[in-house]
Amino acid sequence: MPTIIVASANPAKITAVSNAFKDAFPQQQFTITGVSSVSGVRDQPLTSEETLLGANNRVAYCRERYPSADYIVGLEAGLDCNFTFAWMVIEHQGKKSTARSASLPLPPLALAKIAQGIELGDVMDEMFAQQNIKQKGGAIAMLTQHLLTRSSVYQQALILALIPFLNPELY
């Protein structure tokens, strides 16, 4: 059975990866393992470039430790101006594919607290009287009144990142 290493122990990220692979490869079963990994960037990346670097670093960290895994998936959430989003990096058989999630506009109060060095998840916990929201529905669930979740938005981006593996003859 093919193995997928998710470069995170965050349940929301693992769920997104599991659902994306099930949707993309409905006839295939996978062994999926979440692994705490090192991003090599700030806990709250503040640019698209830094966020992408974090996702790539997570993939490299896991590939070094799990060289026989079929897929390594790195997800890194960060900021781009007044928006939060995430980069998805999927590595399979030496090839990498990336996709970016939808961008979520952040409220001015959240942006001000992030500018003070507070991580978005902690800001959302405070704003919505929650605990550990980043491992649940995320900021997007709170701000969309649960119309979307972190996992659902990541799942879409992961499916986009899987396109080259679904259509290898084109890539």
Side-chain angles (χ1 to χ4, degrees), residues 46-108:
L46 298 178
T47 66
S48 178
E49 295 77 15
E50 183 181 11
T51 306
L52 180 57
L53 177 62
N56 276 306
N57 287 346
R58 289 181 187 279
V59 168
Y61 177 90
C62 287
R63 177 52 70 199
E64 188 175 295
R65 283 151 185 79
Y66 301 92
S68 64
D70 294 291
Y71 293 88
I72 305 284
V73 183
L75 305 88
E76 187 74 21
L79 297 179
D80 191 2
C81 297
N82 296 338
F83 298 89
T84 185
F85 74 100
W87 276 108
M88 313 292 137
V89 176
I90 301 175
E91 188 268 330
H92 173 61
Q93 297 180 341
K95 290 184 174 183
K96 275 189 188 175
S97 179
T98 61
R100 185 177 155 146
S101 75
S103 297
L104 168 68
L106 291 173

